[in-house]
Amino acid sequence: MRTEDMILVSVDDHVVEPPDVFDNHLPAKYKDIAPRLEHMPDGTDRWKFLDIEIPNVGLNAVAGRPKDEYGLDPTSFEELRPGTYDVHQRVLDMSANGVLGSLNFPSLPGFAGRLFAAVDDKDAALALTRAYNDWHIEEWCGAAPDRFIPLAIPPIWDAEAVAGEVRRVAAKGCHALTFPENPVPLGYPSLHDEYWNPVWRACSDEGTIVNMHIGSSSKLVMTAPDAPIDVMITLQPMNIVQCAADLIYSPIIRDFPDVTVALSEGGIGWIPYFLERLDHTFTTHSAWTLSDFGGRLPSEVFMERVILCFIEDDFGARQAREIGTSRICIETDYPHSDAIWPDAPERLTQAFAGTDLTDAEIDEMTHLNAMRFFRYDPFSIRPRERCTVAALRAEAEGHDVSVQAKGRRSEREGPMTLSGFNPTA
Amino acid sequence: MRTEDMILVSVDDHVVEPPDVFDNHLPAKYKDIAPRLEHMPDGTDRWKFLDIEIPNVGLNAVAGRPKDEYGLDPTSFEELRPGTYDVHQRVLDMSANGVLGSLNFPSLPGFAGRLFAAVDDKDAALALTRAYNDWHIEEWCGAAPDRFIPLAIPPIWDAEAVAGEVRRVAAKGCHALTFPENPVPLGYPSLHDEYWNPVWRACSDEGTIVNMHIGSSSKLVMTAPDAPIDVMITLQPMNIVQCAADLIYSPIIRDFPDVTVALSEGGIGWIPYFLERLDHTFTTHSAWTLSDFGGRLPSEVFMERVILCFIEDDFGARQAREIGTSRICIETDYPHSDAIWPDAPERLTQAFAGTDLTDAEIDEMTHLNAMRFFRYDPFSIRPRERCTVAALRAEAEGHDVSVQAKGRRSEREGPMTLSGFNPTA
């Protein structure tokens, strides 16, 4: 597979909401409570919502900045690459990275849309959620339907409302839902609780993929208050293994055979070990735990029901055939610090270079699986030959992707610990 | 490698303390406070210590029972295989399993010796700890010095006392210490705190291996109160990854280059993914986190400082050469439910059958590494040809290893959840 011939669809990127996100889709009576962006005298921007102030306008949106500026989350739009919040610039950033398609997780409302749960008036909270999804589907993704896979946020405080929103957005062509990898730290019933069954029923009916992103429980992996922050950064992706273990024993997999769950940003290199451990637990302990997979092994069931995703995982790429190339998708994570941008094609080429994967297997992982699972059909709009890395980069010729310092970096002298870190995800 | 020619040294097994554990090594003035075993009218046994009652006399010691009896921890010595608490029977159980040598973690005092911390009089607490270690070194291991690697428990409430105990037992030939994989849940400073430096200094001076066993923080992996217990069983070994990430950023590895840490029962199949993630975190984030490994990669440093261990991990065995066979040891986990007993040789043969490992590499993992790291020299007592699987099994010919039901099993009708589980480890 030549780098320039690859076709790349990323199932994990992030949008930074522009100031006008709530302007066009929120009923007039709720305009007053919508989050609003304020430009401060010191040059920073902050979102204000109810009594909540959110000074981090871009989550971890550091793409395009030098690595020594990765440590502080952006506090103004001036610090952000326009491609983070301007969809036309985003398309250029994607093209410059050779990326055809992209699924974008939210920033402001949290990965699982939890922000709006803070509103006591749940009609208003639902209106905000719908307005957000309408903006995302119609304005963001709608600006370039050949380039985006829409992703809805849930009104997470109410399972029936989530189910309703899944059905509502499906009618608009959105077949992806972001959902917390573990609702318990957010104060909601666990993945084991049948409370969520209406959601899975709706996803089953509508062919909607459930996307569980690392960190979406809003709980960081915290080994100790004085652990250097590197410990959390190291552990955060692999922590999705807890969600994976919950899933295989949950009603989602047990009772809803047509629902598929994507483990977003979870990596894949740990999967073979995990599958063996699943089966070992079953064969050793099911005689007393009474777990039951209908005569099958949990590893078989698991691999039929999940989408596995990786940004950079060379070891995982070498295990891709054993894991199953039909269940693996790539991610670029733009514009976060772990992003492969603007050199995703080169990094993926390097990952695949260490393998004997066929072009057909690579095509599955780079775009065919994503197209199939998410009902995303760019070739109906844009001929396939215009979708390759080479073709897209040619379209973005001259687009500036150089590293640009914003002159703002941490002034710490020593390592940052978790207790000194203020998570806002 | 023929099964019968293997030589097996397990660096993770467990002793169940017999009723007389405190009879011979505790100063007379502390006799009254020692834990004592009481036989109850209902046929159960329980340890009593201060105001603490411990009805689980054998932790998870279910070896030799049918799988449908694995769910309940033993509550009487009658339920236990004598090899769990009687050292002469233990040696026969080891021989029948083809196992030459074994390192035994404690049951009653907890993996990190935390039980004795409950005594307000810390002189008494230290006396109990010393008495326990003396019993373990002199009576348990001393009964068959060619068959055991002694392992000391720490007086965990006081770093200086731990250091003193490391030095005291080293003089008795004990070069292994059990230590919590994370002291924070136990109420002590984290692995990042220099508070523990005296311990690492003592281990460095005495050539003592620090053994961090899964679960030794006494904190189970708990995703949700209503998660089936299978979720915890699945996740518990891999959870050692949190300890591994702490270690690489801790004073142990940074400041004590001669200290080696064993990740007991941690498995190995996740290691290649983890090492790549360590390096990715470093190359992507060290410009702002200021982490520093002296010009080297964290993966290189990590692999020079740890001992990795596995019971059953066929995928991991296939990665053993890439991981490094000089850092991997085997475990049998007798007498717990994950134990490979009495068929460790056959299970290991199966694991190695899927690899192209040489006999020399297999010898490293099955015994040579354990002998080198733990200063264990059985061949000075017992000629090598009497140490093989075949030779040991011949010595135990006729020893009964048949599965024996005790007629006690869970009466639950449905799956057990974590909230219904009473951990006692």
Side-chain angles (χ1 to χ4, degrees), chain A residues 6 39 98 102 114 140 156 160-161 173 193 262 277 279 304 338 367 392:
Chain A
M6 289 200 290
H39 191 69
S102 169
R114 62 166 167 65
W140 184 262
I156 189 64
E160 291 288 354
D193 199 307
R277 180 73 195 166
D279 290 348
E304 286 176 0
D338 269 356
H367 63 287
L392 290 165

Side-chain angles (χ1 to χ4, degrees), chain B residues 25 130 133-134 137-138 150 167-175:
Chain B
H25 304 276
R130 288 180 173 174
N133 285 335
D134 288 346
I137 296 166
E138 294 168 25
R167 296 182 196 279
R168 191 186 75 87
V169 298
K172 294 169 178 268
C174 175
H175 295 280

Side-chain angles (χ1 to χ4, degrees), chain A residues 139-375:
Chain A
E139 293 196 48
W140 184 262
C141 300
D146 53 339
R147 308 301 292 273
F148 293 104
I149 300 169
L151 171 72
I153 62 172
I156 189 64
W157 56 89
D158 180 344
E160 291 288 354
V162 178
E165 187 64 1
V166 165
R167 296 182 198 278
R168 192 186 73 87
V169 299
K172 294 170 177 267
C174 175
H175 294 281
L177 175 74
T178 166
F179 199 87
E181 95 234 83
N182 186 352
V184 174
L186 294 166
Y188 300 112
S190 84
L191 295 177
H192 302 283
D193 199 307
E194 296 183 356
Y195 170 78
W196 298 111
N197 280 5
V199 179
W200 318 137
R201 168 57 54 211
C203 290
S204 182
D205 291 346
E206 304 294 346
T208 294
I209 305 293
V210 181
N211 296 266
M212 296 185 173
H213 194 289
I214 63 165
S216 56
S217 67
S218 293
K219 189 179 162 193
L220 295 172
V221 183
M222 185 92 158
T223 57
D226 55 340
I229 197 165
D230 313 73
V231 174
M232 183 276 287
I233 297 171
T234 301
L235 293 170
Q236 202 65 35
M238 202 170 183
N239 190 48
I240 199 79
V241 68
Q242 298 200 7
C243 170
D246 270 335
L247 280 173
I248 190 67
Y249 290 101
S250 74
I252 311 172
I253 285 193
R254 187 175 61 240
D255 301 328
F256 297 90
D258 296 325
V259 175
T260 299
V261 180
L263 300 179
S264 310
E265 208 172 328
I268 61 175
W270 53 274
I271 288 285
Y273 171 85
F274 173 72
L275 294 179
E276 191 174 322
R277 180 73 195 166
L278 274 186
D279 290 348
H280 181 275
T281 299
F282 179 74
T283 55
T284 305
H285 297 284
S286 60
W288 69 272
T289 68
L290 312 182
S291 63
D292 180 11
F293 294 91
R296 306 176 67 205
L297 286 171
S299 62
E300 297 174 67
V301 176
F302 183 82
M303 285 308 301
E304 286 176 0
R305 303 296 303 287
V306 296
I307 300 170
L308 305 169
C309 313
F310 75 98
I311 309 167
E312 290 190 281
D313 186 347
D314 290 2
F315 176 75
R318 294 201 294 281
Q319 316 306 321
R321 186 174 294 148
E322 172 165 346
I323 294 169
T325 52
S326 66
R327 310 299 305 196
I328 299 172
C329 293
I330 57 137
E331 306 166 303
T332 77
D333 199 30
Y334 176 97
H336 287 180
S337 56
D338 269 356
I340 43 174
W341 185 87
D343 54 357
E346 289 71 24
R347 306 252 205 129
L348 287 165
T349 298
Q350 183 189 326
F352 295 136
T355 74
D356 63 349
L357 292 165
T358 65
D359 284 5
E361 288 170 321
I362 292 173
D363 280 345
E364 282 186 291
M365 296 190 286
T366 54
H367 63 287
L368 293 177
N369 294 339
M371 289 168 56
R372 172 169 54 98
F373 285 122
F374 291 93
R375 305 185 177 194

Side-chain angles (χ1 to χ4, degrees), chain A residues 71 182 190 223 226 230 233-234 246 249 276-277 280 285 288-289 312 314-315 318 322 337-338 412, chain B residues 71 182 190 223 226 230 233-234 246 249 276-277 280 285 288-289 312 314-315 318 322 337-338 412:
Chain A
N182 186 352
S190 84
T223 57
D226 55 340
D230 313 73
I233 297 171
T234 301
D246 270 335
Y249 290 101
E276 191 174 322
R277 180 73 195 166
H280 181 275
H285 297 284
W288 69 272
T289 68
E312 290 190 281
D314 290 2
F315 176 75
R318 294 201 294 281
E322 172 165 346
S337 56
D338 269 356
R412 283 171 305 106
Chain B
N182 186 351
S190 84
T223 57
D226 55 340
D230 313 75
I233 297 171
T234 301
D246 270 337
Y249 289 102
E276 191 174 323
R277 180 72 195 165
H280 181 275
H285 296 284
W288 68 273
T289 68
E312 291 191 280
D314 290 2
F315 176 75
R318 294 202 294 282
E322 173 166 343
S337 55
D338 268 356
R412 283 170 305 107

Side-chain angles (χ1 to χ4, degrees), chain B residues 92-401:
Chain B
L92 284 171
D93 277 357
M94 288 164 60
S95 295
N97 199 21
V99 171
L100 169 64
S102 169
L103 176 139
N104 282 201
F105 284 84
S107 296
L108 175 63
F111 287 161
R114 62 166 167 65
L115 180 67
F116 303 134
V119 190
D120 290 333
D121 174 352
K122 290 307 183 232
D123 290 335
L126 183 58
L128 285 162
T129 305
R130 288 180 173 174
Y132 184 94
N133 285 335
D134 288 346
W135 167 82
H136 176 85
I137 296 166
E138 294 168 25
E139 292 195 49
W140 184 263
C141 301
D146 53 339
R147 307 301 292 274
F148 292 104
I149 299 169
L151 171 72
I153 62 172
I156 189 65
W157 56 88
D158 180 343
E160 291 288 356
V162 178
E165 187 64 0
V166 166
R167 296 182 196 279
R168 191 186 75 87
V169 298
K172 294 169 178 268
C174 175
H175 295 280
L177 175 75
T178 166
F179 199 87
E181 94 234 82
N182 186 351
V184 173
L186 295 165
Y188 300 113
S190 84
L191 295 177
H192 302 284
D193 198 306
E194 295 184 357
Y195 170 77
W196 298 111
N197 280 5
V199 178
W200 318 136
R201 168 58 53 211
C203 290
S204 182
D205 291 346
E206 304 294 345
T208 295
I209 305 294
V210 180
N211 296 266
M212 295 183 173
H213 194 289
I214 63 165
S216 56
S217 67
S218 293
K219 189 180 162 193
L220 295 172
V221 182
M222 185 92 157
T223 57
D226 55 340
I229 196 165
D230 313 75
V231 175
M232 183 275 288
I233 297 171
T234 301
L235 293 170
Q236 201 65 35
M238 202 170 182
N239 190 48
I240 199 80
V241 68
Q242 298 200 7
C243 170
D246 270 337
L247 279 174
I248 190 66
Y249 289 102
S250 74
I252 311 171
I253 285 193
R254 186 174 62 239
D255 302 328
F256 297 91
D258 295 326
V259 175
T260 299
V261 180
L263 300 179
S264 310
E265 207 172 328
I268 61 174
W270 53 275
I271 288 283
Y273 172 85
F274 173 72
L275 295 180
E276 191 174 323
R277 180 72 195 165
L278 275 186
D279 291 348
H280 181 275
T281 300
F282 178 75
T283 55
T284 305
H285 296 284
S286 60
W288 68 273
T289 68
L290 311 182
S291 64
D292 180 11
F293 294 93
R296 306 176 68 205
L297 286 170
S299 63
E300 297 174 68
V301 177
F302 183 82
M303 286 306 303
E304 286 177 1
R305 304 295 303 286
V306 295
I307 300 170
L308 305 168
C309 313
F310 75 98
I311 309 168
E312 291 191 280
D313 187 346
D314 290 2
F315 176 75
R318 294 202 294 282
Q319 315 307 320
R321 186 174 295 148
E322 173 166 343
I323 295 169
T325 52
S326 65
R327 310 298 306 194
I328 299 172
C329 293
I330 58 135
E331 307 166 302
T332 76
D333 200 30
Y334 177 98
H336 288 180
S337 55
D338 268 356
I340 43 174
W341 184 89
D343 53 357
E346 289 71 26
R347 305 253 206 130
L348 287 165
T349 297
Q350 182 188 328
F352 295 136
T355 74
D356 63 349
L357 292 165
T358 65
D359 284 5
E361 288 170 321
I362 292 173
D363 280 344
E364 282 186 290
M365 296 190 286
T366 54
H367 64 286
L368 292 177
N369 294 339
M371 290 167 56
R372 172 168 55 97
F373 285 122
F374 291 93
R375 305 186 178 194
Y376 164 61
D377 185 16
F379 302 156
S380 66
I381 307 176
R382 168 184 281 267
R384 188 183 187 286
E385 64 270 19
R386 286 188 48 222
C387 296
T388 64
V389 166
L392 291 165
R393 280 184 162 168
E395 287 187 20
E397 185 145 359
H399 184 62
D400 187 2
V401 296

Side-chain angles (χ1 to χ4, degrees), chain A residues 26-48:
Chain A
L26 192 63
K29 66 174 176 173
Y30 296 124
K31 290 281 186 201
D32 289 348
I33 66 156
R36 62 185 186 282
L37 192 78
E38 296 195 351
H39 191 69
M40 310 301 285
D42 64 358
T44 63
D45 297 306
R46 60 185 55 192
W47 285 99
K48 291 198 176 179

